[in-house]
Amino acid sequence: MVAAILRHVSGDVSRAREETTLVAAFRRQIERAIREGRWRFADHFCDKILAEDPRNIDTWLLKGHLAWHRFRDAGTALECYRQALILGGYDSNRAEVGEARRALAELADQLS
């Protein structure tokens, strides 16, 4: 619904800009939800972003953090962190990849 409204308001804007506008709107909703402690709502909008941009590493990391630290869902957290590693090309020089590695190590440590 929100996506349709934003697309309509955007008018003749190119698809790339439209997606950027939509993802930015979803990101604002996530930020608001996190400030308010509404974790499921934040996770819902992570899914919305990933539907528009499945290569968004930051969103995969956030979704992983929510899964582990708020929902205690180790399986989902593991998959999200792994996806971030894959999308980052396992490049340790990238901050996102380093964060995913750190989170995976912490998760493994807590589960053992």
Side-chain angles (χ1 to χ4, degrees):
M1 175 82 157
V2 173
I5 292 170
L6 284 174
R7 287 185 180 116
H8 178 69
V9 170
S10 296
D12 296 333
V13 180
S14 71
R15 177 77 175 146
R17 182 168 176 212
E18 181 179 309
E19 287 178 1
T20 302
T21 302
L22 185 58
V23 168
F26 291 154
R27 190 172 310 284
R28 285 190 300 273
Q29 290 298 320
I30 290 169
E31 291 167 0
R32 178 177 170 208
I34 289 172
R35 277 194 313 271
E36 295 172 357
R38 297 170 52 196
W39 315 120
R40 293 281 176 201
F41 191 72
D43 185 60
H44 169 75
F45 278 97
C46 283
D47 291 338
K48 293 276 194 185
I49 288 175
L50 293 172
E52 294 293 322
D53 180 11
R55 299 188 55 80
N56 190 310
I57 298 173
D58 290 328
T59 303
W60 281 110
L61 283 172
L62 177 57
K63 187 166 176 62
H65 290 329
L66 287 170
W68 179 239
H69 296 288
R70 297 299 171 192
F71 310 136
R72 292 294 182 217
D73 182 350
T76 299
L78 175 65
E79 288 303 315
C80 291
Y81 295 143
R82 286 181 53 209
Q83 189 65 27
L85 283 174
I86 292 166
L87 291 172
Y90 298 93
D91 181 2
S92 296
N93 293 324
R94 294 185 66 169
E96 302 94 340
V97 172
E99 176 64 20
R101 286 182 195 270
R102 186 202 58 74
L104 276 171
E106 180 183 315
L107 179 60
D109 187 49
Q110 289 183 10
L111 292 175
S112 62

